[in-house]
Structure formats: C-alpha cells, structure tokens
Amino acid sequence: MENCVIAPGMFRHMKLYSVVFSGCKMTGADFQSAEMHNVKFENCDLTGAQFANAKNAGVVRFEGCTLIDVCGTASLKGAVVQGPGSMELALSLAREAGLVFEP
C-alpha cells in the first residue's frame, strides 16, 4: 500500500504476509494480536498505533516512521527500527515499563 490514509485501520487478529506500507497515514491503527510475517512500514505515521499481543513471526521493519504514543511495544520484540522513530518508540516502551523521567 502506498501513500494512503488508513486511519484508524483495523488489522486486529489479521495475518499479514510480505506487506509493505509506504508513506501511509495510519494514526490509531490497531494491530492487536495480528501476526506479522515480513512486514515493512516505511515513512508511515503510526502515531497512537496499538500492537498489544502482536506476533512478530518474521522480520518487521519500521523505517523513517513516526512512532509517537505507540502501545503494546513489548510485542514488537525483534523488530528493526530505523530513523527518528526509534527514540519515539523507546519512550513508549519506557512508559509501558513504568519508568518515570524527571528533569
């Protein structure tokens, strides 16, 4: 899928095989309990996306994506994150782990 708006997208419990999302606006997308086999997100806005209980069954890549306030980040274990979204995703993971940052 290229340069599309899928907001909010419902991918809950779906099996995704060799899918590339490129330049898509996917704010609030729901990937809860989805099985992802070789899925690539490139330059997508995944702000507020939900990945709780997602199964990373193959390579899952996020390249140049916006990953602010993503939920269910622990389910993304093994995913490859490239670009500025890596810090955004790290903050979501820290929040879900209960870490508190103070100035």
Side-chain angles (χ1 to χ4, degrees):
M1 304 189 96
E2 236 180 299
N3 300 318
C4 55
V5 177
I6 310 170
M10 293 297 292
F11 300 94
R12 185 178 284 206
H13 301 285
M14 291 183 87
K15 293 181 180 183
L16 302 170
Y17 293 90
S18 300
V19 178
V20 177
F21 296 98
S22 181
C24 296
K25 183 174 176 71
M26 305 175 78
T27 55
D30 187 350
F31 290 91
Q32 185 172 338
S33 298
E35 284 185 32
M36 297 186 288
H37 305 263
N38 302 319
V39 176
K40 183 177 180 180
F41 299 90
E42 53 186 32
N43 303 311
C44 293
D45 183 353
L46 289 157
T47 299
Q50 172 64 263
F51 289 95
N53 300 313
K55 294 161 191 73
N56 184 357
V59 178
V60 176
R61 296 186 63 88
F62 298 90
E63 297 177 1
C65 294
T66 301
L67 299 166
I68 298 170
D69 292 330
V70 170
C71 298
T73 54
S75 295
L76 295 173
K77 182 177 179 179
V80 177
V81 185
Q82 181 183 32
S86 58
M87 286 305 295
E88 297 163 355
L89 193 61
L91 290 172
S92 292
L93 183 59
R95 182 190 69 239
E96 289 181 14
L99 298 177
V100 177
F101 297 95
E102 294 182 345

